[in-house]
PDB file of all heavy atoms in Angstrom:
ATOM      1  N   SER A  82       2.833 -42.038  46.688  1.00 59.00           N
ATOM      2  CA  SER A  82       4.046 -41.399  46.157  1.00 59.00           C
ATOM      3  C   SER A  82       3.663 -40.060  45.549  1.00 59.00           C
ATOM      4  O   SER A  82       2.558 -39.883  45.029  1.00 59.00           O
ATOM      5  CB  SER A  82       4.711 -42.283  45.094  1.00 59.00           C
ATOM      6  OG  SER A  82       3.878 -42.403  43.962  1.00 59.00           O
ATOM      7  N   GLN A  83       4.577 -39.117  45.671  1.00 53.00           N
ATOM      8  CA  GLN A  83       4.417 -37.827  45.016  1.00 53.00           C
ATOM      9  C   GLN A  83       4.864 -37.997  43.566  1.00 53.00           C
ATOM     10  O   GLN A  83       5.962 -38.476  43.293  1.00 53.00           O
ATOM     11  CB  GLN A  83       5.271 -36.753  45.705  1.00 53.00           C
ATOM     12  CG  GLN A  83       4.946 -35.341  45.276  1.00 53.00           C
ATOM     13  CD  GLN A  83       3.668 -34.823  45.902  1.00 53.00           C
ATOM     14  OE1 GLN A  83       3.198 -35.407  46.881  1.00 53.00           O
ATOM     15  NE2 GLN A  83       3.091 -33.795  45.341  1.00 53.00           N
ATOM     16  N   ARG A  84       3.985 -37.594  42.623  1.00 50.00           N
ATOM     17  CA  ARG A  84       4.306 -37.796  41.216  1.00 50.00           C
ATOM     18  C   ARG A  84       5.500 -36.937  40.837  1.00 50.00           C
ATOM     19  O   ARG A  84       5.486 -35.718  41.025  1.00 50.00           O
ATOM     20  CB  ARG A  84       3.112 -37.431  40.339  1.00 50.00           C
ATOM     21  CG  ARG A  84       3.338 -37.761  38.881  1.00 50.00           C
ATOM     22  CD  ARG A  84       2.084 -37.495  38.065  1.00 50.00           C
ATOM     23  NE  ARG A  84       2.278 -37.842  36.669  1.00 50.00           N
ATOM     24  CZ  ARG A  84       1.360 -37.725  35.735  1.00 50.00           C
ATOM     25  NH1 ARG A  84       0.163 -37.268  36.060  1.00 50.00           N
ATOM     26  NH2 ARG A  84       1.604 -38.048  34.484  1.00 50.00           N
ATOM     27  N   SER A  85       6.519 -37.552  40.334  1.00 46.00           N
ATOM     28  CA  SER A  85       7.752 -36.849  39.979  1.00 46.00           C
ATOM     29  C   SER A  85       7.885 -36.828  38.457  1.00 46.00           C
ATOM     30  O   SER A  85       7.980 -37.879  37.814  1.00 46.00           O
ATOM     31  CB  SER A  85       8.967 -37.544  40.588  1.00 46.00           C
ATOM     32  OG  SER A  85      10.149 -36.888  40.200  1.00 46.00           O
ATOM     33  N   ILE A  86       7.846 -35.607  37.860  1.00 48.00           N
ATOM     34  CA  ILE A  86       7.986 -35.469  36.411  1.00 48.00           C
ATOM     35  C   ILE A  86       9.006 -34.382  36.111  1.00 48.00           C
ATOM     36  O   ILE A  86       9.278 -33.507  36.946  1.00 48.00           O
ATOM     37  CB  ILE A  86       6.643 -35.107  35.738  1.00 48.00           C
ATOM     38  CG1 ILE A  86       6.134 -33.762  36.272  1.00 48.00           C
ATOM     39  CG2 ILE A  86       5.610 -36.177  35.920  1.00 48.00           C
ATOM     40  CD1 ILE A  86       4.910 -33.249  35.534  1.00 48.00           C
ATOM     41  N   THR A  87       9.585 -34.467  34.939  1.00 46.00           N
ATOM     42  CA  THR A  87      10.515 -33.423  34.497  1.00 46.00           C
ATOM     43  C   THR A  87       9.708 -32.223  34.016  1.00 46.00           C
ATOM     44  O   THR A  87       8.840 -32.376  33.164  1.00 46.00           O
ATOM     45  CB  THR A  87      11.378 -33.936  33.338  1.00 46.00           C
ATOM     46  OG1 THR A  87      12.078 -35.095  33.778  1.00 46.00           O
ATOM     47  CG2 THR A  87      12.366 -32.868  32.877  1.00 46.00           C
ATOM     48  N   PRO A  88       9.928 -31.046  34.585  1.00 49.00           N
ATOM     49  CA  PRO A  88       9.136 -29.879  34.178  1.00 49.00           C
ATOM     50  C   PRO A  88       9.303 -29.621  32.670  1.00 49.00           C
ATOM     51  O   PRO A  88      10.418 -29.605  32.149  1.00 49.00           O
ATOM     52  CB  PRO A  88       9.721 -28.725  35.005  1.00 49.00           C
ATOM     53  CG  PRO A  88      10.416 -29.392  36.139  1.00 49.00           C
ATOM     54  CD  PRO A  88      10.899 -30.699  35.616  1.00 49.00           C
ATOM     55  N   LYS A  89       8.185 -29.424  31.998  1.00 57.00           N
ATOM     56  CA  LYS A  89       8.189 -29.118  30.579  1.00 57.00           C
ATOM     57  C   LYS A  89       7.418 -27.829  30.347  1.00 57.00           C
ATOM     58  O   LYS A  89       6.429 -27.556  31.014  1.00 57.00           O
ATOM     59  CB  LYS A  89       7.560 -30.247  29.766  1.00 57.00           C
ATOM     60  CG  LYS A  89       8.368 -31.539  29.786  1.00 57.00           C
ATOM     61  CD  LYS A  89       7.714 -32.585  28.921  1.00 57.00           C
ATOM     62  CE  LYS A  89       8.517 -33.883  28.921  1.00 57.00           C
ATOM     63  NZ  LYS A  89       7.890 -34.941  28.100  1.00 57.00           N
ATOM     64  N   GLY A  90       7.881 -27.036  29.385  1.00 65.00           N
ATOM     65  CA  GLY A  90       7.197 -25.795  29.055  1.00 65.00           C
ATOM     66  C   GLY A  90       6.016 -26.063  28.134  1.00 65.00           C
ATOM     67  O   GLY A  90       5.577 -27.183  27.945  1.00 65.00           O
ATOM     68  N   ILE A  91       5.516 -24.990  27.550  1.00 80.00           N
ATOM     69  CA  ILE A  91       4.378 -25.088  26.634  1.00 80.00           C
ATOM     70  C   ILE A  91       4.864 -24.873  25.211  1.00 80.00           C
ATOM     71  O   ILE A  91       5.988 -24.423  24.976  1.00 80.00           O
ATOM     72  CB  ILE A  91       3.299 -24.070  27.020  1.00 80.00           C
ATOM     73  CG1 ILE A  91       3.877 -22.648  26.997  1.00 80.00           C
ATOM     74  CG2 ILE A  91       2.686 -24.399  28.363  1.00 80.00           C
ATOM     75  CD1 ILE A  91       2.858 -21.580  27.302  1.00 80.00           C
ATOM     76  N   ASP A  92       4.015 -25.211  24.254  1.00 84.00           N
ATOM     77  CA  ASP A  92       4.332 -25.041  22.830  1.00 84.00           C
ATOM     78  C   ASP A  92       3.680 -23.770  22.308  1.00 84.00           C
ATOM     79  O   ASP A  92       2.465 -23.581  22.453  1.00 84.00           O
ATOM     80  CB  ASP A  92       3.851 -26.255  22.034  1.00 84.00           C
ATOM     81  CG  ASP A  92       4.652 -27.492  22.368  1.00 84.00           C
ATOM     82  OD1 ASP A  92       5.691 -27.374  23.033  1.00 84.00           O
ATOM     83  OD2 ASP A  92       4.252 -28.575  21.925  1.00 84.00           O
ATOM     84  N   ILE A  93       4.489 -22.918  21.678  1.00 91.00           N
ATOM     85  CA  ILE A  93       4.001 -21.637  21.158  1.00 91.00           C
ATOM     86  C   ILE A  93       4.436 -21.506  19.710  1.00 91.00           C
ATOM     87  O   ILE A  93       5.623 -21.577  19.397  1.00 91.00           O
ATOM     88  CB  ILE A  93       4.549 -20.443  21.962  1.00 91.00           C
ATOM     89  CG1 ILE A  93       4.241 -20.599  23.466  1.00 91.00           C
ATOM     90  CG2 ILE A  93       3.998 -19.135  21.431  1.00 91.00           C
ATOM     91  CD1 ILE A  93       4.938 -19.569  24.331  1.00 91.00           C
ATOM     92  N   LEU A  94       3.468 -21.323  18.815  1.00 94.00           N
ATOM     93  CA  LEU A  94       3.769 -21.013  17.420  1.00 94.00           C
ATOM     94  C   LEU A  94       3.594 -19.520  17.198  1.00 94.00           C
ATOM     95  O   LEU A  94       2.601 -18.930  17.648  1.00 94.00           O
ATOM     96  CB  LEU A  94       2.846 -21.790  16.484  1.00 94.00           C
ATOM     97  CG  LEU A  94       3.225 -23.240  16.207  1.00 94.00           C
ATOM     98  CD1 LEU A  94       2.148 -23.943  15.399  1.00 94.00           C
ATOM     99  CD2 LEU A  94       4.554 -23.333  15.468  1.00 94.00           C
TER     100      LEU A  94
END
Side-chain angles (χ1 to χ4, degrees):
S82 66
Q83 192 76 17
R84 186 175 182 180
S85 178
I86 61 173
T87 302
K89 293 183 180 179
I91 58 178
D92 291 349
I93 305 171
L94 279 174

